[in-house]
Amino acid sequence: MFGAAPLPLMQPDEPCPADLPRPPDWFWRALAGIDAGVASALLVLCWFALHSRLLREPWWAKFNLAAAPVFGERVFVMGLGGATVVGASLVLLVYCLLAVAYSLLTVGRGAFRAFLLAVLCVACWHIFADRWFWPMLDPSAGAWFPWSATVPAHAATAILLLRCPARYHRLRALAGLEPPPILSAAAGPGAAPAASLGAGNPVECAERPEEPPGRPAADC
């Protein structure tokens, strides 16, 4: 029986493989914005559907109207179907892009400034959407997206956007680019490494009772 072939050993003079290039910082910021933006967009979609039901409209009415640039005036007679998917996807994309823009501007700033930027960003988007974005979808969109529908949705969006800095540090920690928040906070910036257990541990040596001196050997 022949034994297994020995594995080839790397010669000392062979160069080690180079590390893979790390993504730039803006990549992690955009990824954190997408993470927070999907959550906020899903909440906005749920609220729009609930608001339509409160007005005794089909829950997909606002989503069908958002698909008017694709399907035209047919959205007013179309039911639940392709127009609903297209309109909901458009709303989801718009609010995700809003979160990415906020994350690129906010990550690295203090908590108070991040809160102010979230309020400012959402307020600007609310005014822009009310005057230009919804009417751009259809001239009658103002009646389908009143302030009673958009103000609660945008208030919830501003709250969820505050997750961007935390998600940014979490994603970098998962990629190994920075220590986890719990370990870094417990260790502190100037903390010394913990002493290893075993021989040479000063705590263990201090708690170890001293052995009584042995009796001297009797002279023969």
Side-chain angles (χ1 to χ4, degrees), residues 45-66 75-81 83-84 143-145 149:
L45 292 178
C46 293
W47 168 246
F48 282 168
L50 178 60
H51 185 268
S52 296
R53 292 301 301 161
L54 292 176
L55 297 180
R56 298 182 179 180
E57 301 170 352
W59 65 266
W60 59 83
K62 291 181 175 57
F63 305 146
N64 282 17
L65 182 64
V75 296
F76 295 101
V77 295
M78 296 175 65
L80 180 64
T84 308
W144 298 87
F145 293 94

Side-chain angles (χ1 to χ4, degrees), residues 56-102:
R56 298 182 179 180
E57 301 170 352
W59 65 266
W60 59 83
K62 291 181 175 57
F63 305 146
N64 282 17
L65 182 64
V70 178
F71 294 92
E73 296 182 356
R74 291 182 300 163
V75 296
F76 295 101
V77 295
M78 296 175 65
L80 180 64
T84 308
V85 176
V86 172
S89 301
L90 177 62
V91 175
L92 181 71
L93 176 62
V94 167
Y95 281 87
C96 284
L97 293 178
L98 176 66
V100 169
Y102 168 79

